[in-house]
Amino acid sequence: MDQGLNDTGWRGSQEGWLEAAYQSLLESGVDSVKILPLAKKLNLSRTSFYWFFKDREELLSALVARWRDKNTGNIIKQSEAYAESLAEAMLNVFDCWLNTDLFDAKFEFAIRSWALQSDELLAEVQQADQIRLEALKRMFMRFGVPETTSDVRARTTYLVQIGYISMQSMEDIAVRMKRIPEYIAIYTGEVPQQRELDRFFSRHGYRPS
């Protein structure tokens, strides 16, 4: 049978298996990410899994890589994005907290919950935390903030957001948007310009009342 048909037809696809694993992780935790239940969910044979992954551990590693590339990668990218001011640079980072295409908070919570069962993953999460904090610190320093102050402000910014995620805090979008200028002022020591807020609100489809 043609190899292309095998990869995309009745055996499914690597991305399909990975997406099913991702959904199971979010819904029920890592213990639910097992080959047979995933095969049933996808209406595929169990053996088809092995066309794409050597074993369950390789699938779990792919999940962690997906989390690392998306969540850590985009925090770094947003912290390095062009900005006229430190306040606008922080608004670029805040894009992560509002755009699930940039940062997946549910995925973050699931990974951190999984890390409670795995020392290896806990080390990975701690490394990611450090990488993210260093990226935020560099952002502050780029705008002339002293190193020690940059470090404290980076920690304040990041640890508050991780607190939001860990507490599974839910805010009405209007409430959160109203609070954002105050958060920016606290984190950066700068009051964002109205034009900066207007650009931020616009890219998130929000119109202040």
Side-chain angles (χ1 to χ4, degrees):
M1 187 176 290
D2 181 77
Q3 184 64 40
L5 180 60
N6 287 347
D7 286 320
T8 60
W10 64 278
R11 289 191 176 93
S13 67
Q14 185 176 59
E15 182 57 32
W17 282 97
L18 185 58
E19 181 63 24
Y22 162 80
Q23 293 295 340
S24 290
L25 177 68
L26 264 57
E27 292 164 9
S28 306
V30 68
D31 290 340
S32 70
V33 183
K34 294 180 179 176
I35 299 167
L36 185 56
L38 294 177
K40 289 180 177 179
K41 180 181 287 191
L42 292 167
N43 196 27
L44 294 168
S45 69
R46 185 178 187 276
T47 55
S48 66
F49 170 86
Y50 297 99
W51 278 77
F52 307 107
F53 297 97
K54 181 177 67 176
D55 52 24
R56 179 175 181 261
E57 289 305 312
E58 188 172 60
L59 175 63
L60 294 178
S61 294
L63 272 177
V64 173
R66 181 174 179 174
W67 161 76
R68 184 194 310 118
D69 293 346
K70 181 173 187 175
N71 285 8
T72 300
N74 281 321
I75 287 178
I76 295 170
K77 179 182 175 182
Q78 291 302 110
S79 74
E80 295 174 346
Y82 173 78
E84 294 179 1
S85 68
L86 178 54
E88 186 171 39
M90 185 60 75
L91 286 169
N92 289 338
V93 172
F94 268 48
D95 287 340
C96 292
W97 317 146
L98 293 166
N99 183 349
T100 56
D101 289 336
L102 292 176
F103 186 93
D104 188 334
K106 291 182 178 179
F107 200 5
E108 187 76 14
F109 181 83
I111 289 287
R112 288 178 180 276
S113 298
W114 174 8
L116 298 175
Q117 304 173 228
S118 166
D119 290 341
E120 183 179 355
L121 184 57
L122 178 59
E124 176 97 26
V125 169
Q126 290 171 338
Q127 181 182 34
D129 287 336
Q130 192 58 40
I131 290 169
R132 297 170 187 183
L133 284 166
E134 287 295 328
L136 293 172
K137 178 181 173 181
R138 289 194 302 271
M139 181 187 76
F140 281 103
M141 293 181 68
R142 195 168 85 235
F143 287 90
V145 179
E147 184 173 359
T148 299
T149 306
S150 293
D151 178 66
V152 173
R153 289 185 182 272
R155 289 177 180 279
T156 302
T157 301
Y158 182 66
L159 295 175
V160 167
Q161 186 57 36
I162 294 301
Y164 262 97
I165 293 167
S166 297
M167 293 172 65
Q168 296 186 287
S169 179
M170 301 294 292
E171 280 182 330
D172 179 82
I173 188 64
V175 171
R176 187 153 211 203
M177 288 297 195
K178 188 175 181 180
R179 289 173 174 164
I180 280 175
E182 296 295 331
Y183 276 128
I184 299 298
I186 290 168
Y187 295 161
T188 67
E190 294 184 5
V191 176
Q193 298 294 315
Q194 189 58 51
R195 67 178 182 275
E196 295 170 339
L197 288 171
D198 288 344
R199 286 195 290 266
F200 177 78
F201 291 147
S202 177
R203 63 181 178 257
H204 293 288
Y206 175 72
R207 294 184 178 181
S209 54

